[in-house]
């Protein structure tokens, strides 16, 4: 993780920043899946809980070779009018480290009820009694909206940042460029 590149969303009168970040993230995910890459992590330098958002910048972290191989895939095709991409740059010496991970929530009582009915063979009424509506949680984390390639369903991928650390933690990244264990440079 000695290098990074930064992708900045450009203002667009037709598309919101949130929509463009979702499109960019979806394209990145497909490229990482295609490459079977688990050595590229990402971060959102403008990440904010209040107001909730990922911001206008996405950083990709990895070795110079890993980032070069990714960019050779031309995965940004179709986004060139909407983004500005830096060269591969060295990570500053004074960088700290943090995890950037996916956070999943069991938010829908209806979904939990259907799952319980299937698992336990219960009726809807039994499942509704066991899982009241107040178990629903409203996540307060920034997210990107994506479409599942396997099911075609839209879903929110919530993103959580870990605490700042002085030393990096090595592990692999998911095909979303996220990890609950591996850190990325933070500066």
């Amino acid at each position: 993780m000695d290098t990074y590149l930064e992708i900045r969303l450009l203002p667009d009168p037709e598309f919101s920043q949130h929509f463009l970040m979702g499109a960019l993230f979806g394209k990145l995910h497909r490229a990482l899946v295609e490459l079977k890459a688990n050595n590229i992590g990402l971060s959102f330098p403008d990440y904010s809980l209040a107001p909730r958002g990922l911001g206008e910048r996405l950083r990709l972290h990895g070795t110079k070779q890993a980032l070069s191989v990714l960019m050779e895939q031309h995965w940004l095709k179709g986004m060139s009018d909407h983004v500005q991409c830096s060269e591969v740059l060295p990570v500053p010496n004074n960088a700290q480290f943090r995890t950037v991970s996916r956070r999943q929530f069991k938010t829908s009582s209806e979904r939990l009820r259907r799952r319980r009915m299937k698992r336990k063979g219960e009726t809807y009424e039994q499942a509704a009694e066991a899982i009241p509506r107040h178990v629903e949680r409203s996540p307060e984390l920034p997210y990107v909206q994506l479409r599942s390639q396997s099911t075609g369903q839209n879903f929110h991928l919530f993103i959580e940042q870990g605490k700042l650390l002085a030393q990096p933690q090595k592990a692999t990244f998911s095909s979303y460029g996220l990890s609950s264990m591996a850190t990325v440079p933070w500066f």
Side-chain angles (χ1 to χ4, degrees), residues 48-59:
S48 173
L49 293 174
R52 179 171 64 166
L54 296 172
E56 64 181 26
R57 294 182 295 161
L58 170 69
R59 281 190 187 145

Side-chain angles (χ1 to χ4, degrees), residues 18-71:
H18 184 76
F19 176 84
L20 290 173
M21 185 59 80
L24 177 64
F25 195 92
K27 285 182 170 287
L28 173 62
H29 168 60
R30 286 189 292 280
L32 292 174
V33 167
E34 204 170 287
L35 287 173
K36 296 179 176 68
N38 64 1
N39 57 349
I40 295 175
L42 58 88
S43 66
F44 301 90
D46 305 316
Y47 181 98
S48 173
L49 293 174
R52 179 171 64 166
L54 296 172
E56 64 181 26
R57 294 182 295 161
L58 170 69
R59 281 190 187 145
L60 303 177
H61 304 272
T63 63
K64 186 171 185 170
Q65 179 184 1
L67 294 176
S68 296
V69 168
L70 173 66
M71 296 312 286

Side-chain angles (χ1 to χ4, degrees), residues 41-158:
L42 58 88
S43 66
F44 301 90
D46 305 316
Y47 181 98
S48 173
L49 293 174
R52 179 171 64 166
L54 296 172
E56 64 181 26
R57 294 182 295 161
L58 170 69
R59 281 190 187 145
L60 303 177
H61 304 272
T63 63
K64 186 171 185 170
Q65 179 184 1
L67 294 176
S68 296
V69 168
L70 173 66
M71 296 312 286
E72 288 169 4
Q73 302 305 306
H74 303 291
W75 63 276
L76 283 171
K77 187 176 182 179
M79 294 287 299
S80 59
D81 291 344
H82 306 288
V83 298
Q84 182 179 40
C85 189
S86 76
E87 299 175 22
V88 176
L89 301 166
V91 170
N93 292 332
N94 62 344
Q96 291 183 294
F97 302 90
R98 74 173 358 140
T99 59
V100 179
S101 60
R102 179 180 184 179
R103 178 81 188 275
Q104 291 180 280
F105 294 91
K106 295 179 179 172
T107 54
S108 167
S109 58
E110 287 299 316
R111 186 181 63 76
L112 293 171
R113 289 173 185 158
R114 286 191 307 270
R115 185 169 180 245
R116 183 178 175 105
M117 290 166 54
K118 194 177 198 179
R119 273 193 355 254
K120 298 196 176 215
E122 294 180 344
T123 66
Y124 180 81
E125 290 75 22
Q126 290 169 320
E129 189 174 317
I131 302 174
R133 182 164 296 284
H134 73 271
V135 301
E136 290 188 14
R137 292 174 46 193
S138 177
E140 304 281 331
L141 294 173
Y143 64 89
V144 289
Q145 185 168 336
L146 299 172
R147 178 181 290 280
S148 170
Q149 296 296 306
S150 56
T151 67
Q153 298 286 326
N154 287 331
F155 68 98
H156 292 171
L157 190 142
F158 292 94

Side-chain angles (χ1 to χ4, degrees), residues 41 90 114 172 181:
R114 286 191 307 270
T172 59
M181 296 174 60

